[in-house]
Amino acid sequence: MTLLADRSAPAPGALAPGAGAARQVWRRLRTRPSAVASAAVLAALVLLALAAPLLAQLAGQDPNAYHDDLVDSARGGVPLGSLGGISADHWLGVEPGTGRDLFTRLLHGARISLLVALGATAVQVTVGIAAGLTAALGNRVVATLIGRTTDVMIALPMLVLGVALTAVVPPDFPRPLLLILVIGLLGWGGTARMVRAQTLALRELDFVAAARLSGNGTLRIARRELLPSLAAPVITLAAINVPTNMVVEASLSFLGVGVKPPTPSWGQMLSSAQTWFRADPTYVLLPAGMLFVTVLAFTVLGDAVRTALDPREASRLRIGTRAGARTGTRAGRKERKA
């Protein structure tokens, strides 16, 4: 009985699913200033993106309206004024060549970037969980087939395939939805492999064996026993995938196969800014800076979530750091004695 209890008991520091675990994770996140700052930045960005139409009305600007009188046609369309044409009417300046307001276009571009990144992550998680559970709980033929397919999906160059797939789709297909499907269906391999490995380890534990002996079927065991235990690693991986998907969307838009004009996108703005980086550096720095800050905030928050869900990771890091320092100190003493 003692052995069975020890084997089925959760590991030290591990979180059981439920409201209590969520509160514990929240308390751990609040103790990390980097996590709080990243969450605040992302919350502000989401609010600005959602309120983009309202803010555009308050600013009195249309993101797609051309203003030829705000650019110098004699110089090829360089914005009039300093810092890209910043003024009381155009808070961040105007776009070279067209005179469109940069503030409103950046906000509307945030809507596209966040929508595609979060949507693609949802597709990756859904397909990855389904494929990983099927590979771990299915028969040998199914497991082999899904395993080989997962290996192929991980090995495929996502950016090259994304360019090829988005280029052959009819132009009237909704572009944000196309990007979500392409990025999500090409990037589920890592989630599937992780879910399969975790499921293979979990299905040997006593609580799964007890559920099986109670007469529960495979689907019921997967839904009621395995999925709650997979929540922590899946959430961690999803938090890491969001900034990756945002960079992929920006890369596809930069290459000209993302969202189509006049719909703004940060990647699309960077693509057109490459011809203006000398004449108007502000036009390059604004979308690049927004993309950098957003990706950095998602990355830092994802790392904080991983540590909060599995505090043993931070303990192992601290122990390893101290052990490495002690080893280095002992080696230094031996060298000095020699």
Side-chain angles (χ1 to χ4, degrees), residues 5-64:
D6 290 342
R7 187 184 177 195
S8 59
L15 296 178
R23 287 193 294 268
Q24 190 173 354
V25 170
W26 172 244
R27 285 196 298 269
R28 290 172 180 171
L29 286 176
R30 286 189 303 177
T31 62
R32 295 173 63 96
S34 59
V36 175
S38 300
V41 170
L42 293 176
L45 179 64
V46 171
L47 290 176
L48 289 174
L50 293 176
L54 177 61
L55 292 174
Q57 291 182 359
L58 292 177
Q61 301 295 334
D62 184 346
N64 299 322

Side-chain angles (χ1 to χ4, degrees), residues 170-325:
D172 57 343
F173 192 87
R175 220 62 186 179
L177 177 60
L178 175 62
L179 291 174
I180 290 173
L181 293 177
V182 168
I183 298 174
L185 295 178
L186 290 177
W188 56 266
T191 304
R193 176 175 288 181
M194 183 274 296
V195 170
R196 178 181 179 275
Q198 293 287 332
T199 304
L200 289 175
L202 290 171
R203 73 177 187 178
E204 303 299 328
L205 299 182
D206 289 335
F207 72 96
V208 178
R212 189 181 300 112
L213 291 175
S214 300
N216 294 320
T218 302
L219 291 178
R220 184 178 179 85
I221 292 175
R223 185 177 68 254
R224 301 195 60 179
E225 307 294 341
L226 296 175
L227 282 179
S229 300
L230 291 170
V234 168
I235 291 173
T236 300
L237 188 59
I240 296 173
N241 284 342
V242 170
T244 303
N245 294 334
M246 185 170 291
V247 173
V248 172
E249 182 276 327
S251 301
L252 292 175
S253 297
F254 179 83
L255 295 173
V257 293
V259 294
K260 298 298 182 182
T263 304
S265 168
W266 290 346
Q268 180 193 103
M269 296 172 70
L270 286 173
S271 178
S272 60
Q274 60 183 329
T275 59
W276 298 98
F277 70 94
R278 291 185 182 275
D280 186 14
T282 306
Y283 185 43
V284 182
L285 294 176
L286 285 175
M290 292 289 291
L291 183 62
F292 172 78
V293 170
T294 306
V295 170
L296 179 63
F298 268 118
T299 303
V300 172
L301 184 60
D303 181 72
V305 170
R306 175 179 59 82
T307 305
L309 289 172
D310 186 11
R312 294 172 298 171
E313 184 73 20
S315 300
R316 285 193 292 267
L317 181 61
R318 288 194 296 268
I319 293 171
T321 302
R322 290 197 295 266

Side-chain angles (χ1 to χ4, degrees), residues 71-88:
V71 295
D72 188 355
S73 58
R75 299 174 56 196
V78 177
L80 297 172
S82 59
L83 298 176
I86 292 179
S87 64

